[in-house]
Amino acid sequence: MKLKSTLDQTKIFTEFANKLIKNSMDTLTPFLSRKKETWPDEELAGISLALIREFCQIIPLSITQNVTVLLKSFVYTRNSKDSDSSTAISTFLRAHAFVALGKMCLQDETLSRELFPLLAKELTTSKEDVLRNNAILILIEMLRRYPSYTDKYIPLISSCVKDMRYIIRYQSISLITNFMQQDFVKLENNFWLYCLLSTIADEKGGYSRAR
């Protein structure tokens, strides 16, 4: 009886999750039309992305290929200077979409292989702090999940200890220190000088002020 009750509760929760995912997709899909008059409230869209992010970890089977394609559409949309601001997907939504897709990658190595280069590009070219911060956080989680990619992307992470933003320097140092403790990587002594300088630089002051 207990087993049957547990299975029934699991089924109910799965149905609930599927319904939430569908509602979230219905909320997010209008953003792809680039017709702002059809867009729902942006805060609601952010909540929808957060729901997808959480449920992809709790019930991975609730995430269909359509959900993946939808999130890719948000992530791959890079707004240029010439973009019409009235139809551009906001940095806020792209940042949320990056995190949601990154969490999905922890369940899907094939998807992660596709996202790794995009994260690297975002980290090196984006001028938006929130996007770069989310990119390095996701990259860190993915490297912990798939350490075989460490050699390829650790130089990029290492370069972030010279970033102008304190939080990005902090995240990169934390990851590399963790990997060194596990003997995943070995770095030259000069790296520790950057670590020291990044540590003594305050949060508001950039790396250049610490030199």
Side-chain angles (χ1 to χ4, degrees):
M1 292 296 293
K2 288 184 178 180
L3 177 60
K4 184 178 183 304
S5 176
T6 300
L7 291 175
D8 288 343
Q9 291 177 8
T10 301
K11 181 180 178 181
I12 292 172
F13 185 73
T14 301
E15 291 174 350
F16 171 72
N18 290 336
K19 185 175 181 179
L20 277 182
I21 294 297
K22 182 181 182 305
N23 289 341
S24 296
M25 288 187 65
D26 290 342
T27 299
L28 296 170
T29 300
F31 283 90
L32 304 184
S33 71
R34 291 305 181 101
K35 296 178 180 179
K36 196 166 186 178
E37 63 272 13
T38 67
W39 290 4
D41 179 70
E42 188 171 276
E43 184 176 350
L44 179 60
I47 293 173
S48 297
L49 287 167
L51 285 171
I52 293 175
R53 179 192 70 210
E54 296 304 320
F55 277 103
C56 76
Q57 301 172 84
I58 300 172
I59 307 180
L61 293 178
S62 66
I63 304 300
T64 64
Q65 185 64 26
N66 288 338
V67 178
T68 304
V69 171
L70 179 62
L71 291 187
K72 284 182 181 180
S73 299
F74 277 80
V75 166
Y76 279 88
T77 300
R78 301 196 72 184
N79 300 319
S80 66
K81 293 181 179 179
D82 298 327
S83 298
D84 183 352
S85 60
S86 66
T87 60
I89 294 177
S90 70
T91 297
F92 169 78
L93 291 181
R94 286 196 71 224
H96 273 286
F98 259 114
V99 176
L101 195 60
K103 292 295 184 181
M104 290 167 60
C105 285
L106 300 180
Q107 311 281 345
D108 185 345
E109 186 172 359
T110 300
L111 180 60
S112 71
R113 285 198 294 269
E114 181 179 343
L115 192 61
F116 266 124
L118 181 62
L119 289 171
K121 182 177 181 180
E122 200 71 36
L123 191 56
T124 55
T125 63
S126 177
K127 298 186 182 302
E128 299 288 348
D129 291 344
V130 65
L131 288 176
R132 288 166 49 247
N133 183 60
N134 282 9
I136 195 169
L137 285 174
I138 298 164
L139 197 55
I140 286 170
E141 285 199 47
M142 288 170 60
L143 288 176
R144 284 175 175 154
R145 177 68 177 84
Y146 307 111
S148 60
Y149 294 89
T150 301
D151 288 344
K152 184 174 182 179
Y153 289 99
I154 204 66
L156 174 62
I157 298 292
S158 300
S159 69
C160 291
V161 302
K162 297 181 287 185
D163 196 273
M164 291 297 294
R165 293 299 176 183
Y166 171 84
I167 186 62
I168 295 176
R169 298 197 302 273
Y170 175 83
Q171 299 291 1
S172 61
I173 291 172
S174 296
L175 172 73
I176 295 171
T177 301
N178 180 263
F179 274 10
M180 291 185 72
Q181 290 172 338
Q182 299 178 52
D183 290 329
F184 284 151
V185 296
K186 296 184 183 298
L187 299 173
E188 297 178 358
N189 291 334
N190 287 342
F191 171 75
W192 294 108
L193 174 60
Y194 286 124
C195 286
L196 175 61
L197 294 176
S198 298
T199 302
I200 63 176
D202 59 50
E203 295 186 21
K204 294 184 180 179
Y207 174 78
S208 59
R209 286 180 57 187
R211 288 189 293 182

